[in-house]
Amino acid sequence: MPLAVLVLAGLFSGGVLFISAIECPAMSKYSYKAFYDYFCHTYPRGFVMQGSFLFTGIYAAAVAAAKAADPQNRTLWSLSSGLLFAIFPYTMVALMPTTKKIMRNVSSTAH
């Protein structure tokens, strides 16, 4: 189970790093309309991928914590699960309103 947690956390982090360090800067050379069109095309797939990695990682870390015999390991796995979970409310409160606004604006201008 610990290997699964590490792989899932790595995939989640790698996806975020790719989007932040490579994909968004590469799109900055295009017009806003092209960027928004691209965002609306890729966002639904990214949402499913990142959400799957996030919640599977949270679950796997919680299971690893429950199965850990050593109290120190249990604490570390619990913290890992909690840190992964902390991303979710931040995303819903800080990022989701902007994302919905972008999706709404692009879909309203497309018609």
Side-chain angles (χ1 to χ4, degrees):
M1 190 59 69
L3 180 60
V5 175
L6 294 175
V7 168
L8 290 164
L11 288 170
F12 177 82
S13 300
V16 170
L17 183 62
F18 172 77
I19 291 166
S20 299
I22 297 170
E23 193 171 37
C24 287
M27 287 302 298
S28 68
K29 65 182 176 180
Y30 297 104
S31 69
Y32 284 116
K33 181 176 178 354
F35 180 78
Y36 285 145
D37 289 343
Y38 180 76
F39 178 81
C40 290
H41 174 72
T42 59
Y43 174 75
R45 291 180 296 157
F47 180 82
V48 170
M49 179 191 68
Q50 292 292 95
S52 298
F53 291 154
L54 179 65
F55 286 109
T56 307
I58 292 167
Y59 175 75
V63 169
K67 290 185 174 187
D70 180 25
Q72 186 176 10
N73 286 342
R74 189 175 309 117
T75 301
L76 289 173
W77 285 118
S78 297
L79 284 171
S80 299
S81 181
L83 286 172
L84 280 171
F85 182 77
I87 295 166
F88 179 71
Y90 170 76
T91 301
M92 291 295 116
V93 172
L95 302 178
M96 191 58 78
T98 302
T99 301
K100 285 183 177 182
K101 185 176 178 182
I102 291 169
M103 298 293 278
R104 210 174 23 252
N105 287 344
V106 171
S107 66
S108 68
T109 59
H111 295 118

